[in-house]
Amino acid sequence: MSYIEKTMKSEKVYEGKMLNLRIDTVELPDKKYSKREIVEHPGAVCIVPITDKNEIYLVNQYRKAIDKEILELPAGKIEIGEEPKDCAIRELKEETGLEADDYEYMLEFYTSPGFCNEKMYLFIARDLEEGEATPDTDEYIDVKKIPIEKLIHMIEIGEICDSKTIIGIQMVERLLKTKSE
Amino acid sequence: MSYIEKTMKSEKVYEGKMLNLRIDTVELPDKKYSKREIVEHPGAVCIVPITDKNEIYLVNQYRKAIDKEILELPAGKIEIGEEPKDCAIRELKEETGLEADDYEYMLEFYTSPGFCNEKMYLFIARDLEEGEATPDTDEYIDVKKIPIEKLIHMIEIGEICDSKTIIGIQMVERLLKTKSE
C-alpha cells in the first residue's frame, strides 16, 4: 500500500513567530473527505555536548506549554536559510556558552508527525571549551553537567522526560558502547 | 533558579478536534512581557507490541503533516476521561488487531515541550494474539512485524524517524539487555 492524501482545500488559521497552523481538507482513498489540523514548524536542532569524561551539558528551563521547568539538551529553532549545523553551533553557544571543535551529525527525526512537521536534527559536540552564555532576552536557562550513566538512570525513573533529550542521550550511550566493544 | 512565567493574557486562536492553539502573554523575571504560542493536545499513548521472538509490530501510515508515509509504533490520542492503559489497549486493537495479555507501563515524556503540552505514555505489550484491525474511517494503516535488531539498525540509518518509535524501541532493547545480563 502506498498513497497520499490529496489536498482539496487549505486554510491558514494562524501565522506566528514560532509556528503556523493550517487546516487541510484532504481526499481519502475511498474518495471521502477528512480534515487535518497541521502545525507548521521551521525545524530545530538538538546538541549533545559531551566531555572526554562522558559528562553531558544540559539546560534547565521553564516551559510555558507544560507550565514547569524541564531538563533538556541544548536545542533551538532553525532560522530562515540557516544550515542545521550552523544552528547547532549558534544555539550551543547562546544557551550554554560552550564552543566545540568537533560537531558530528547523528540523526534526524520528527517530534510529532501526527500533527506537526517539526524535524529535529541531532548533533554530538566534542572538544568543548566553556564560555559565556548569551540566551535570548526571554530565555532564562540554567546549565548543568551530568555524567551519562546518571542521565540513563534519570530517563528510567522519569526525571528526564523530553523526547529529543531521551533520544540524544540513548544514541550517544550506544555510540560509546559500540566504540568500547 | 526556579521561576514560572505568570500569564497576563491568554487568547484562544483555534479549537479543533485534535488540538487547540492559544497565545499567552507572559511576564518574565525582569518584568518584561513576551508571547508564547502554545499547542494544546490531550495526550497520547504509544505501544511496543513484542513477541516472544523479540519481533515488534509497527504501522506504516501516511501523515499529512509531513506529506509521506512513516513507520511508527501503534499509537493514538487519549479520549476525554480515558486512562492511558485503556487507551493503549483500544488503540493497539484498532490499529493492528492485536490483543495482549500483558500491558506494562514503561515511561512518559513530552514530544515537543517548547510549544506543545502533548504527553506520550509508553507501554510494552506482551503475550499477543492476532485479530482483525478496525482503524478509524480516515486511517489507512499497514501492519509490519520486524525483529528488534533490525529496528535498531533502521534507527541508525534514518529509516525510523519518529520520536516515540525511536524511544520505544530503544527502551525495550535496554530492558531486554538488562534481563539477559
Side-chain angles (χ1 to χ4, degrees):
Chain A
M1 185 199 68
S2 180
Y3 84 102
I4 63 154
E5 291 173 357
K6 198 173 154 191
T7 307
M8 308 311 285
K9 196 180 131 189
S10 187
E11 183 198 354
K12 278 256 188 264
V13 173
Y14 175 80
E15 292 190 55
K17 62 174 179 174
M18 188 164 181
L19 54 86
N20 303 327
L21 177 64
R22 69 170 208 264
I23 315 298
D24 282 0
T25 304
V26 299
E27 189 185 73
L28 302 174
D30 65 2
K31 304 292 175 194
K32 286 187 181 149
Y33 286 9
S34 187
K35 295 217 186 250
R36 304 295 183 207
E37 298 162 339
I38 294 167
V39 175
E40 297 175 342
H41 187 284
V45 301
C46 175
I47 309 107
V48 189
I50 188 164
T51 70
D52 51 12
K53 290 175 186 159
N54 293 339
E55 300 155 311
I56 294 173
Y57 289 87
L58 295 102
V59 294
N60 203 43
Q61 192 174 7
Y62 173 86
R63 294 295 202 175
K64 186 67 190 171
I66 57 171
D67 193 24
K68 62 184 173 193
E69 284 183 58
I70 181 171
L71 195 60
E72 299 175 37
L73 287 169
K77 188 166 63 79
I78 296 173
E79 302 293 343
I80 295 168
E82 192 177 36
E83 289 297 321
K85 187 178 170 182
D86 294 334
C87 179
I89 295 168
R90 179 178 57 75
E91 285 287 350
L92 183 62
K93 172 76 179 158
E94 281 178 13
E95 291 198 346
T96 68
L98 290 168
E99 291 183 86
D101 274 349
D102 178 20
Y103 287 86
E104 187 188 339
Y105 165 84
M106 294 193 73
L107 203 68
E108 59 198 72
F109 54 90
Y110 296 101
T111 52
S112 215
F115 63 91
C116 180
N117 68 348
E118 184 188 24
K119 188 184 255 192
M120 182 70 67
Y121 298 83
L122 185 66
F123 290 85
I124 178 166
R126 301 187 188 86
D127 299 333
L128 304 167
E129 194 164 315
E130 291 192 358
E132 200 176 333
T134 53
D136 289 344
T137 52
D138 64 350
E139 278 185 327
Y140 288 78
I141 289 173
D142 218 15
V143 180
K144 313 246 182 199
K145 189 168 70 173
I146 303 177
I148 191 161
E149 308 80 45
K150 186 172 177 195
L151 292 172
I152 293 291
H153 179 65
M154 290 170 77
I155 292 172
E156 284 166 353
I157 62 173
E159 281 184 16
I160 287 178
C161 55
D162 165 52
S163 70
K164 65 184 176 297
T165 305
I166 296 173
I167 292 173
I169 292 167
Q170 296 200 135
M171 289 303 293
V172 167
E173 194 218 11
R174 168 176 304 280
L175 192 73
L176 295 175
K177 276 200 179 150
T178 312
K179 280 194 179 165
S180 71
E181 271 166 17
Chain B
M1 184 200 67
S2 181
Y3 85 104
I4 62 152
E5 290 174 358
K6 197 172 157 194
T7 306
M8 308 311 286
K9 195 181 133 191
S10 188
E11 182 198 353
K12 277 254 190 265
V13 174
Y14 175 80
E15 291 191 56
K17 62 175 181 174
M18 187 164 183
L19 53 86
N20 304 327
L21 176 66
R22 70 171 207 266
I23 315 297
D24 283 1
T25 304
V26 299
E27 188 185 75
L28 302 173
D30 65 3
K31 302 293 176 194
K32 287 187 181 149
Y33 286 8
S34 187
K35 294 217 185 252
R36 304 294 185 207
E37 298 161 338
I38 294 168
V39 174
E40 296 174 343
H41 187 284
V45 302
C46 175
I47 309 107
V48 189
I50 187 163
T51 70
D52 50 13
K53 291 175 186 159
N54 294 338
E55 299 154 312
I56 295 174
Y57 288 87
L58 294 102
V59 293
N60 205 42
Q61 192 176 7
Y62 173 86
R63 294 296 202 173
K64 187 65 191 172
I66 56 172
D67 192 25
K68 62 183 174 192
E69 285 184 56
I70 180 172
L71 196 61
E72 300 177 35
L73 287 169
K77 188 165 66 78
I78 297 172
E79 303 293 343
I80 294 165
E82 191 176 37
E83 288 297 322
K85 188 179 170 181
D86 294 334
C87 180
I89 294 168
R90 179 178 57 75
E91 286 286 352
L92 184 61
K93 173 75 179 154
E94 283 177 11
E95 292 198 345
T96 67
L98 291 167
E99 292 184 84
D101 274 350
D102 178 21
Y103 288 86
E104 187 189 338
Y105 166 85
M106 294 193 72
L107 203 68
E108 61 199 71
F109 55 88
Y110 296 101
T111 52
S112 215
F115 63 89
C116 180
N117 68 347
E118 183 188 25
K119 189 186 256 193
M120 181 70 65
Y121 297 83
L122 184 66
F123 290 85
I124 179 165
R126 299 187 189 87
D127 300 333
L128 304 169
E129 194 167 314
E130 290 192 359
E132 200 177 334
T134 53
D136 289 345
T137 52
D138 65 350
E139 278 185 329
Y140 289 77
I141 288 173
D142 218 15
V143 179
K144 314 245 181 199
K145 188 167 74 173
I146 302 176
I148 191 163
E149 308 80 45
K150 185 171 176 194
L151 292 172
I152 293 290
H153 179 65
M154 288 170 77
I155 292 172
E156 285 166 351
I157 62 173
E159 281 184 16
I160 287 178
C161 54
D162 165 53
S163 70
K164 64 184 176 301
T165 304
I166 297 174
I167 291 172
I169 293 167
Q170 289 182 335
M171 289 304 291
V172 167
E173 195 219 9
R174 173 181 306 285
L175 192 72
L176 294 175
K177 276 203 179 149
T178 313
K179 280 192 178 167
S180 70
E181 272 166 15

